[in-house]
Amino acid sequence: MMSKGKKFFMYAFLTIFSLLSIFPLYYMLCAATNKSIDVIAGRLIPGTYLIENYKSLIANQNLGLALWNSFRNALVLTVLCLLVCSIAGYGFEIYHDKGKDAVFTVLLTAMMIPFAAVMIPMFRMFSSLNMVNTMAAFMLPSISTPFMIMMFRQASRSFPHDIIEAARIDGLSELAIFFRMFFPTMRSTYAAAMTIVFMNAWNNYLWPKVILMTNESITMPMLVANLLGGYTVDYGMLMLGVFICTIPTAIVFFCLQKSFAEGITGAVK
C-alpha cells in the first residue's frame, strides 16, 4: 500500500505536469480571442476579439476550401494506407519466403532516410510523368510506409496461426481470412494506426506545398503558413487558424485514445 504522503506527491507531480501539458492549448485559445497587440504583450486571459479574428481569417484565406481539402486528403490517404500496410504487414508475417526478410530489411533501412533527401528525386519523377498537381502524386509517397508495415507485422505475430490453418481447411480464401478474421480481431491496432496516419496526413505540409501548386489545392497547414507570409502578422488571426487546424486531430486522438494505447502495446481482443 502506498502511503498518504507518497500519494500526495504523486498526484501533485501529475497535476503540475498535466497543467504544463495543456498550457500551450490554453495559450493558443486565449490568443485566438485577443487582438494581435494583446498576444504580443503576453495576455493570458480570454478576450472578446474572436469574431473579429474569424472575420479577418475568412476574408484573407479560403478557410472552407482548406478544410475540405485537408479532410478529403486525410481521410482518403488514411483508408488507403491502412488497407495497403495491413495487408503488407500480414503477408510479411503469415507467408514464409526466403527473400521476405531481405525485403523487410530494405523497408526498415528506408526508415532511416530523411524525406528531404528523396523529395527532389520524387518531384522530378512525378514531373516527368505529368502528375504534378494531382491527388495521386500527393498520396502515392504516403500510401505505404515502413513504420506502418512494421506495426501491422508485429500485431500479426499475436494472431493465432492455428485459426488460419483451420479456416483454410474449411475452404476460406486468403482474402476472406484476412477481412473476416484478421481485420475484426485487430481493431485496436487499426485504431492506433488510423490515429497516426490521420494526424500525419492532416499535418503534412512540405510535400503538398511542393507537389500541389494551385490555390485550389490549399490545405490547413498551407493556410496557416500563408498567415505568416505578410510584412505584418496578425497573431490573433494566426492563432485562430492554428486552433482550427488543431481541432480535428485532437478529436480523433481523444475519441481513439483507449484503442490507441491498446494498439501500440500490441493488445489483441
Side-chain angles (χ1 to χ4, degrees):
M1 292 292 292
M2 187 179 296
S3 65
K4 291 183 178 180
K6 288 184 178 180
K7 276 189 176 182
F8 172 79
F9 284 111
M10 182 185 70
Y11 284 116
F13 176 82
L14 293 175
T15 301
I16 291 172
F17 276 87
S18 297
L19 293 175
L20 290 175
S21 299
I22 66 173
F23 177 76
L25 183 62
Y26 172 77
Y27 177 77
M28 181 171 56
L29 181 59
C30 290
T33 62
N34 283 299
K35 297 181 181 180
S36 181
I37 189 171
D38 294 327
V39 178
I40 296 174
R43 183 175 179 178
L44 297 178
I45 302 174
T48 59
Y49 214 69
L50 177 62
I51 302 300
E52 287 75 7
N53 286 335
Y54 178 75
K55 289 180 179 178
S56 298
L57 179 61
I58 61 177
N60 286 275
Q61 299 292 330
N62 196 335
L63 179 62
L65 179 62
L67 284 171
W68 162 249
N69 287 338
S70 291
F71 272 116
R72 179 197 61 196
N73 296 348
L75 289 175
V76 174
L77 184 57
T78 299
V79 172
L80 292 177
C81 183
L82 292 183
L83 180 63
V84 172
C85 292
S86 61
I87 292 176
Y90 175 84
F92 271 115
E93 180 60 28
I94 301 302
Y95 304 109
H96 298 284
D97 184 81
K98 293 182 179 179
K100 180 187 66 174
D101 292 334
V103 174
F104 195 73
T105 301
V106 174
L107 286 175
L108 294 181
T109 305
M111 293 178 64
M112 296 183 287
I113 302 175
F115 179 76
V118 299
M119 182 177 62
I120 294 177
M122 280 200 308
F123 177 80
R124 294 186 63 181
M125 179 182 68
F126 285 118
S127 179
S128 65
L129 296 173
N130 295 321
M131 295 178 65
V132 177
N133 292 325
T134 62
M135 287 290 293
F138 164 71
M139 293 188 178
L140 282 174
S142 303
I143 283 180
S144 177
T145 63
F147 176 77
M148 284 293 109
I149 294 175
M150 181 179 67
M151 181 176 174
F152 278 105
R153 185 187 183 186
Q154 290 299 115
S156 300
R157 290 182 175 178
S158 61
F159 187 70
H161 288 213
D162 294 341
I163 295 179
I164 299 176
E165 295 300 330
R168 287 171 179 168
I169 294 174
D170 289 340
L172 277 180
S173 66
E174 298 299 323
L175 284 177
I177 294 173
F178 178 83
F179 285 106
R180 294 172 59 181
M181 301 180 67
F182 177 82
F183 182 83
T185 307
M186 297 293 171
R187 288 180 181 175
S188 59
T189 303
Y190 276 96
M194 185 178 76
T195 305
I196 296 171
V197 175
F198 182 86
M199 293 176 68
N200 289 339
W202 181 273
N203 294 322
N204 194 3
Y205 169 75
L206 185 57
W207 180 242
K209 186 68 174 177
V210 170
I211 202 67
L212 303 176
M213 300 180 179
T214 61
N215 293 330
E216 290 74 20
S217 302
I218 187 172
T219 60
M220 283 303 299
M222 295 164 67
L223 181 145
V224 172
N226 289 343
L227 298 177
L228 289 167
Y231 291 103
T232 58
V233 178
D234 187 335
Y235 289 100
M237 179 176 64
L238 173 64
M239 286 299 180
L240 178 60
V242 174
F243 182 73
I244 294 174
C245 186
T246 305
I247 291 175
T249 54
I251 291 175
V252 170
F253 180 78
F254 284 121
C255 290
L256 299 174
Q257 59 179 331
K258 183 178 180 181
S259 298
F260 177 81
E262 293 175 353
I264 290 296
T265 56
V268 178
K269 291 185 177 181

